Amino acid sequence: MHELGWQPAGVGLFVPGRRDDALVAEVREVVTRLDGLQNPVVRRCSPMTSLALLDADPIEVVVDGSAFERPYTDEKAAFALGDRLRELLLALAVTLRPLYASIVLEAPFLSPKDLLVTPEPDLFLDAWFDLSRLHAGIASAYSGAHVEQVSGGLYVSTRAPFNPARFDEPLAASLERARRAMAQVVAHG
């Protein structure tokens, strides 16, 4: 796993278990192209949990949750940051093709194996899934939420800052959606 160093905005990236310079270059290229983070620092780090399955290689965009606490201190700034994080997540997902990628607020990185032991449905509140490796039925878990097809994958979102439609719903409903999606990811693993 690689971590792109934490930036002043409180954004960190965890990307697939490949430990080669080509991966680091790919990630830097995506981040630089989007101007998402200033001078990203890529460093190798030991996994916090068991690494994902070889065919999963999840990506996680982790952000300090304070900008997204409700009521928003600055809704416009929260939505602007959310839009940039969504754009970054989708660009990384399309480039690196993980099984899933997600935006999380200060949460631990979890692989499909980890989810069997420690279910964390909030990992799937705003996420991209590779539909070529997961059953397309995963979309049914998000019926009514923000859903969009992106390069052979499915981006879903239940929190307003992370989708252009600004779809938002109570956390309990979002977590139930995410639990159903999580069950499909775990079944894949």
Side-chain angles (χ1 to χ4, degrees), residues 7 38 62 79 91 116 132 151 172:
Q7 303 296 313
Q38 299 277 328
V62 185
F79 287 1
L116 287 170
S132 70
S151 296

Side-chain angles (χ1 to χ4, degrees), residues 93-158:
V94 167
T95 301
L96 301 175
R97 305 302 300 183
L99 180 65
Y100 60 90
S102 83
I103 299 170
V104 295
L105 307 181
E106 304 170 2
F109 184 86
L110 296 172
S111 72
K113 285 182 181 177
D114 298 320
L115 293 172
L116 287 170
V117 178
T118 311
E120 285 289 342
D122 55 339
L123 184 64
F124 299 117
L125 297 181
D126 306 283
W128 179 91
F129 301 98
D130 184 347
L131 292 180
S132 70
R133 293 186 284 167
L134 285 170
H135 189 276
I138 202 162
S140 67
Y142 294 94
S143 179
H146 175 79
V147 176
E148 62 184 286
Q149 297 277 335
V150 180
S151 296
L154 186 72
Y155 178 74
V156 298
S157 177
T158 64

Side-chain angles (χ1 to χ4, degrees), residues 68 74-85 161 166:
F68 303 104
D74 183 343
E75 182 177 88
K76 187 175 178 180
F79 287 1
L81 177 58
D83 288 342
R84 290 187 68 133
L85 293 172
R166 301 300 179 226

Side-chain angles (χ1 to χ4, degrees), residues 50-67:
S50 62
L51 272 179
L53 302 176
L54 292 176
D55 67 342
D57 282 341
I59 293 172
E60 186 174 59
V61 176
V62 185
V63 65
D64 174 357
S66 60

